[in-house]
Amino acid sequence: MEHAHHVEHPDMYDEESSKIGMWLFIFTELLLFGGLFIVYSIYRYLNPEAFHLAGEELNRTIGTINTVILLISSMTIAMSTTALRKGHKKVAIALVVVSFVIGFAFLVNKYFEWGVKFSHGIWPGSEQMLAEMSQGEILFFGLYFVMTGLHALHIIIGMIIMLFTIRGLAIGKVTIKRPSMLDNCGLYWHLVDLIWIFLFPLFYLIH
Amino acid sequence: MSEEKHQHVVPYRVYVIILIALLILTFSSVGITSIELGEYTVAAALIFAVIKSFLVLTYFMHLKYDKLYIRVMVGFVFALFLVVIIITFLDYLFRT
Amino acid sequence: MQTTSAVNGANYLTYQGKYKGLLGWIFSTDHKRIGLLYLYSIATMFTTGVLLGLAMKFELLAPGKTIMEAQTYNATFTVHGVIMIFMVVIPGLPAVFGNILMPIMIGAKDVAFPKLNLLSWWLYVLGVMLVLAALLFGNGSPDTGWTFYAPYSFKTGTNMLPAIFGAFVLGFSSILTGLNFLVTIHRLRCPGMKWTKLPLFVWTLYGTAWIQLLATPVVGITLVLVALERIFGVGIFDPALGGDPILYQHLFWIYSHPAVYIMILPAMGAISEIIPTFSQKHIFGYKAIIASTMAIAFVGYLVWGHHMYTAGMSGPAQYYFSLLTFIVAIPSAIKVFNWISTMYKGSINVQTPFYWAISFIFVFMIGGLSGLVLGSLATDVHVHDTAFVVAHFHYIVFGGTGFAFFAALHYWFPKIFGRMYDKAWANTGWLVFFIGFLALYTPMFYLGLMGMPRRYYDYLEEFHSGNILSTFGSWVMVTGFVIIIVNLIRSARKGAPAEANPWHGKTLEWTIPSPPPVLNFETEPVIGENDGPYNYE
């Protein structure tokens, strides 16, 4: 544009491209967790009794609270995309901030939940687990820590994306004309929710 | 490149309704799994999870308002995963 | 848009963007430059892998220790496998020729996410660095084989973690490339470029991208589990803690079997471009090739268990996997018929890419038919883990993907570099390489049938003569490789300037100058109702 030799690349922005790009990425995430769900279902099939017993150790109330929390945050971030389209920029920012805070609350809950397990001597490879538990129970807790841990990691990633989105909204990079970043941030957060919708019954409910 | 301006704005109300539905489903699944259903507990819990995820996909993730091919892709991925898990079980179900 | 006129005359090799010199390359988001970055990095890794393979063949020249100990041999075949699979053939054609040519073939300026494309290459480099770190530091190179089978992969004392993370990062790079290509093919086709007018190379990239996207995450999580097993002892694949190592194999092959289709599909696509061009004839069964491509991509996802017949799977699972394995052979055979029929009554122009293409069909057929021997249960039990398997997959992966890679390189070389190579040397290189290839791998079929196991640095005296021939073949093949590479490097610098369309091809990349201008097209191309990628008179 400016100089003869200075070549700018064309702006390739396209809302639908961004959307399907995000969906394709979500597919990879689904199959990433899918691998773990395969492992879980095989081991549950092989060790039904042990999984039953080990599942009773988990705290249903905390699990339910976290489910409710995550569902609410899903709603707030979905509302944020509507707010942006209606032109209410401040509302949109506020709703993402709310989702961020709720996500943080989820992590705090998780921290206490894991903390209780650790204080009972239950963590991957702990001596107490190896000494007292059956093989099936070791597998259950191994999967519990891996799957909820990986999920928590996704919560953290989702929150980092939210920070970038808030910044984008504030400085005007994300607008009605270019809403993809907010939309994709929302989609990612819903994915995190979607995985939790399956993790919750598999670990906390099925005894 | 932006010839299609189909910008569908979903009203806030829809999201609130869906959240309420999801919460009801959550509490129902907690309730139903506390009853002693034996081997049906797994099925019950999973059915609730499937309904919930369907609602999240359709409304929160906007699939209802998206083009057909995106919905087809999503359906395909879930179907593929289902097939893979069934094939894996072909091995474990018949282990002696 | 305005930039097009500003850079008139400058092509993608010579223009200067934001940065100068080397930085202008490694930070360029131009799909053609990224493709060349991949070409150079993959060529480097391929050469490394070839040297390791040469060392293994030298070790097998005579029974007993020839040049290395057993442990060194184990590390050598592991590293050879990891490099060749994860760094060469999986990125291979999509990352190099897909990047350089796919946007041009669909009439686009670039891929949908140019920055993500650059990130893919950086991740590739990072993955390579991690794996190389595993070789150079710690308690010895990984010795598990490229499959990282549990439980050995978390019991061995060698430096596994960097190799595992490296493979994970390479997988991520592959996923991002696939994602980028899918969105590009969906969204950026030029006006009139309907799905039924797409060149077949683009179609195979489309199928490949889906596999990259949907299979790679499964091996990603599997490798994470092995890493966690090593660090924390979670127990998921540890039989001592109730885990099932066969489940590891399931998860590993859920990815790694589709991965062989990541390798071969784009290769088939490149061959499907070359054969019609050099026959000057419409490809036979355009839609059949598309259908068989998608069928391979889909069915190929569901046959992973045929790598595990002797691992201890249940009977019904074995029958199922064997049946589907035979079914997946059908679409591959359909393609071979299509290529042969395309040549029939064509006006064939015998050039280097055409030699590579027909030798591809030849070795691919042998590789495919020997695959049926391995796909059927009874015969597989006999030859499982023997040199027969090694011969089979080298015929497919190296003879298939490797030959197609060289075919594609010689086909698109004038377009990419704007210069023509020395055809006499290129043909000589091909002939020497081809003879060496046959001498190297054919004896291994025989050795395997006689019962020589794979992955040992030693063998019984009765296998000596076959191994001598094989080792001798490796030297011939490397001679051919050197001829090819020297010729291409020389020609890229000093060759005669190439025309825009030296082979009289019909796809869009031949309508623009060689090398392509920065933004590919002066004006966006429009495909008419009667145009098509293979409309020859």
Side-chain angles (χ1 to χ4, degrees), chain C residues 65 110 128 143 202 230 279 374 384 392 394 431 458 531 533:
Chain C
K65 182 190 164 185
D110 206 319
V128 170
D143 57 348
V202 178
R230 268 187 92 86
S279 308
L374 296 165
H384 194 92
H392 158 70
H394 279 88
L431 188 66
D458 192 7
D531 298 339

Side-chain angles (χ1 to χ4, degrees), chain C residues 482-504:
Chain C
V482 172
I483 296 174
I484 295 164
I485 292 303
V486 170
N487 181 35
L488 289 183
I489 293 177
R490 257 185 47 129
S491 308
R493 300 156 62 99
K494 297 187 181 141
E499 312 155 42
N501 189 2
W503 318 119
H504 311 295

Side-chain angles (χ1 to χ4, degrees), chain C residues 220-288:
Chain C
I221 192 66
T222 314
L223 294 175
V224 168
L225 286 174
V226 170
L228 290 175
E229 199 75 63
R230 268 187 92 86
I231 302 169
F232 298 111
V234 186
I236 288 174
F237 297 128
D238 190 350
L241 299 178
D244 180 14
I246 299 178
L247 187 57
Y248 172 85
Q249 297 191 16
H250 273 296
L251 292 169
F252 180 81
W253 289 112
I254 286 176
Y255 163 72
S256 296
H257 191 72
V260 307
Y261 297 103
I262 296 178
M263 305 167 195
I264 200 67
L265 276 178
M268 292 168 157
I271 298 298
S272 305
E273 297 297 330
I274 292 167
I275 300 252
T277 302
F278 290 92
S279 308
Q280 288 293 300
K281 195 162 156 272
H282 191 280
I283 185 121
F284 182 86
Y286 172 78
K287 285 186 181 158

Side-chain angles (χ1 to χ4, degrees), chain A residues 42-108:
Chain A
I42 297 286
Y43 286 150
R44 180 170 194 102
Y45 171 75
L46 294 176
N47 311 283
E49 285 304 312
F51 270 53
H52 186 92
L53 279 174
E56 311 232 303
E57 302 263 324
L58 296 185
N59 189 331
R60 258 180 187 229
T61 320
I62 290 195
T64 314
I65 292 173
N66 263 348
T67 310
V68 172
I69 277 182
L70 216 49
L71 288 173
I72 294 173
S73 73
S74 247
M75 180 192 71
T76 51
I77 201 147
M79 281 178 161
S80 168
T81 62
T82 297
L84 182 69
R85 286 196 166 69
K86 288 190 171 175
H88 306 153
K89 180 175 146 187
K90 282 189 181 152
V91 182
I93 295 179
L95 282 164
V96 182
V97 171
V98 169
S99 312
F100 182 88
V101 171
I102 300 179
F104 190 72
F106 181 95
L107 286 179
V108 171

